[in-house]
Amino acid sequence: MQYISTRGSAPALDFESAVLAGLASDGGLYVPAELPQFDRATIASFAGMNYPQLAFAVMRPFVAGALNDAELRCLIEASYADFRHPATAPLVQLDHNLWLLELFHGPTLAFKDFALQFLGRLLDLILQRRGQRAVIMGATSGDTGSAAIEGCRRCANADIFILHPHQRISAVQRRQMTTVRADNVHNIAVRGSFDDCQNIVKASFADSSFLPADRQLVAVNSINWARIMAQIVYYFYAAVALGVGQREIAFAVPTGNFGDMFAGYLAHRMGLPVARLVVATNANDILHRCFSANDYSLQPPEPTLSPSMDIMISSNFERLLFDLYDRDAVKVADLMAGFKRDGKLSLSDTAMHRLRALFASQRLADSEMLEVIAEQHRQTGYLLDPHSAIGVAAGRHYQAQAVDLPMVCLATAHPAKFPQAAAEAGLAEAAALPPHLSDLLERAERYEVLDCDTAQIQAYIAERLCAAV
Ligand SMILES: *Cc1c(COP(=O)(O)O)cnc(C)c1O
């Protein structure tokens, strides 16, 4: 399968090259040139498959020509073997017609494991085959870093460097990264903010001459197509488990960079009978403003109790724009240039109309989110993490004002990852870490604190690369 850029002037790439490239050379994002289609009979035939079997069926057309069946099967089996629930992505019923899809049974307790466990192994296979070594570099304000490290720690062909803002992430989040013992894993605490970390990473991708010529720099953030691809699977999994076919279904998704929600959109485009996608945001609500009032404009960041959704610009929204404008790359490049210049963009009437035919949106302030956590716990004894609580609230809100569709809310993190929210909801005792992490706070840490200085950090990285084999 070929992959094309949303801005139209980068070359089309095959799957392997699209995964290694991350961002396209024209600044756009790679999307599949055409989407595989699953008809109702095929979707019905998915009933009874376990998660790895379904993942194989859904991902196979996307990797055609790049991975053979045995390779894909092997990657999938290994990626989901460490998940701590036999169903991998279990459904829990919260109410009449309301379900929670628990996506936090992976090694780092967040849904990002679904994509990064797969991507780490995929990269290693691609690099091995090419006889190439890579450097993976990323900035994190929390969940991405630990999921990326867990996914890439066994990569024989890559070194991974994750930058986090020194003393500005939680102890649990830091320790999930810094207690990993692997020679190719490097944590750098930058004396600065998350944006500073992000800027150093961006500058490094723009000019990677600090690395030896034989090392390619690879991005594992959600602009990487393979991450989106792996996330399409659980939308099918949930829908099939609920007997979709007889009826349509809706999803509510706590959203930051729009990667997870875009995967749901693709499931719909591939033939899954999804009647509604509800985008749930916290106070950083650029998407809610866009979906409800055609106002996609930058506003100052606001720290919240759901930090993994504290995002100013939702990078993957560009992939949706591409479709809303009939895959007109010139138009998308134009819109994105305008956004870069003015800090805002507005959609045409046709695009807004299409958007609203499928999507709804909802914004929740911290205080409302805390009420949802407390109320859900009171009603059912179930403890939601702050991100998942925002999704549940949005799902309920939509159900109350529209037809009573079966609603699946995505639970993106384990409540123990965000003990502050549980405490503020009056439920501190309820959020214990699962057994495999219960000694996390006693394990030895390894990380370097460096000044916010691009050249110094690049030199540090260049000195620590594992030798080529
Ligand atoms: C990353 C993350 C999100 C947001 O996902 P996007 O794909 O960026 O929209 C939501 N919840 C949690 C817990 C996350 O880690």
Side-chain angles (χ1 to χ4, degrees):
M1 174 162 316
Q2 289 289 109
Y3 290 82
I4 56 174
S5 165
T6 50
R7 299 196 195 174
S9 40
L13 298 178
D14 62 14
F15 175 75
E16 218 179 87
S17 306
V19 170
L20 291 177
L23 203 63
S25 58
D26 56 6
L29 303 183
Y30 277 105
V31 290
E34 75 272 350
L35 278 179
Q37 296 297 315
F38 295 131
D39 58 24
R40 295 286 164 106
T42 307
I43 294 172
S45 76
F46 293 160
M49 283 188 181
N50 66 25
Y51 194 88
Q53 289 165 337
L54 184 64
F56 177 78
V58 171
M59 292 202 266
R60 188 169 184 252
F62 289 110
V63 305
L67 301 178
N68 65 36
D69 285 357
E71 287 169 328
L72 180 61
R73 265 207 190 90
C74 192
L75 281 180
I76 290 171
E77 289 290 342
S79 300
Y80 302 110
D82 289 343
F83 279 54
R84 283 174 180 75
H85 193 292
T88 314
L91 278 167
V92 174
Q93 187 157 15
L94 288 186
D95 206 335
H96 167 69
N97 245 355
L98 187 87
W99 286 265
L100 199 64
L101 182 64
E102 289 186 342
L103 300 174
F104 52 70
H105 295 285
T108 74
L109 313 180
F111 86 99
K112 291 186 171 71
D113 289 327
F114 276 86
L116 283 159
Q117 284 293 309
F118 181 78
L119 177 56
R121 288 170 172 88
L122 172 68
L123 281 174
D124 211 30
L125 177 78
I126 293 175
L127 294 167
Q128 183 73 37
R129 215 149 63 177
R130 296 188 164 206
Q132 217 177 323
R133 286 193 65 85
V135 176
I136 295 165
M137 195 176 170
T140 189
S141 56
D143 287 348
T144 307
S146 55
I149 287 172
E150 277 298 332
C152 300
R153 62 192 289 184
R154 291 180 199 84
C155 282
N157 302 290
D159 300 290
I160 177 164
F161 295 84
I162 297 294
L163 281 57
H164 71 263
H166 186 43
Q167 293 176 338
R168 297 199 201 175
I169 64 174
S170 79
V172 170
Q173 288 182 319
R174 188 189 69 243
R175 286 178 158 275
Q176 280 191 299
M177 300 193 286
T178 58
T179 59
V180 171
R181 308 190 132 267
D183 290 340
N184 66 334
V185 169
H186 304 270
N187 282 286
I188 302 173
V190 178
R191 291 193 189 90
S193 66
F194 170 66
D195 285 334
D196 293 330
C197 297
Q198 188 94 56
N199 288 336
I200 293 167
V201 171
K202 274 191 191 151
S204 303
F205 276 90
D207 175 5
S208 58
S209 59
F210 67 100
L211 292 175
D214 64 338
R215 306 292 166 109
Q216 177 162 4
L217 201 52
V218 173
V220 294
N221 55 10
S222 66
I223 60 165
N224 194 307
W225 162 253
R227 279 187 60 177
I228 308 285
M229 178 183 78
Q231 291 170 205
I232 298 170
V233 176
Y234 47 71
Y235 289 90
F236 278 89
Y237 189 69
V240 168
L242 292 176
V244 79
Q246 278 71 277
R247 51 183 180 177
E248 294 193 300
I249 188 173
F251 288 94
V253 182
T255 301
N257 247 326
F258 202 67
D260 207 2
M261 183 79 279
F262 187 71
Y265 163 78
L266 290 180
H268 161 77
R269 288 282 318 279
M270 290 163 68
L272 195 69
V274 177
R276 189 59 64 178
L277 294 169
V278 184
V279 170
T281 77
N282 63 23
N284 299 287
D285 61 351
I286 186 166
L287 286 173
H288 173 60
R289 283 183 284 112
C290 174
F291 287 36
S292 58
N294 197 3
D295 167 24
Y296 191 85
S297 62
L298 279 177
Q299 283 191 357
E302 195 174 313
T304 71
L305 291 169
S306 46
S308 299
M309 291 156 64
D310 289 350
I311 279 166
M312 295 292 83
I313 306 174
S314 296
S315 6
N316 282 290
F317 185 56
E318 181 170 341
R319 287 181 158 126
L320 180 66
L321 275 181
F322 189 56
D323 277 9
L324 293 176
Y325 283 89
D326 288 321
R327 308 204 127 198
D328 180 346
V330 175
K331 186 70 204 166
V332 172
D334 219 43
L335 281 167
M336 296 315 293
F339 180 69
K340 193 168 180 191
R341 188 183 56 236
D342 307 329
K344 62 178 189 214
L345 65 81
S346 50
L347 306 190
S348 68
D349 289 347
T350 313
M352 264 323 272
H353 185 74
R354 287 183 179 171
L355 186 80
R356 285 197 174 138
L358 181 61
F359 290 94
S361 70
Q362 175 80 10
R363 164 205 207 268
L364 244 75
D366 273 351
S367 57
E368 298 168 295
M369 177 275 292
L370 290 171
E371 260 170 53
V372 173
I373 291 181
E375 180 59 22
Q376 188 65 52
H377 192 263
R378 225 176 358 255
Q379 279 181 9
T380 59
Y382 194 95
L383 182 64
L384 292 162
D385 101 284
H387 306 80
S388 310
I390 290 173
V392 168
R396 283 189 191 278
H397 180 84
Y398 182 77
Q399 264 186 332
Q401 47 163 277
V403 270
D404 197 15
L405 281 169
M407 175 69 70
V408 176
C409 306
L410 270 50
T412 51
H414 190 287
K417 271 198 110 160
F418 300 96
Q420 194 194 340
E424 290 191 25
L427 301 164
E429 77 294 341
L433 281 167
H436 77 284
L437 289 173
S438 59
D439 65 342
L440 185 69
L441 299 179
E442 285 94 59
R443 292 182 198 167
E445 289 189 87
R446 194 165 59 96
Y447 64 101
E448 197 77 33
V449 183
L450 295 178
D451 284 338
C452 181
D453 174 334
T454 304
Q456 191 197 335
I457 288 171
Q458 291 179 339
Y460 176 88
I461 291 174
E463 273 163 29
R464 274 157 193 83
L465 300 178
C466 293
V469 279

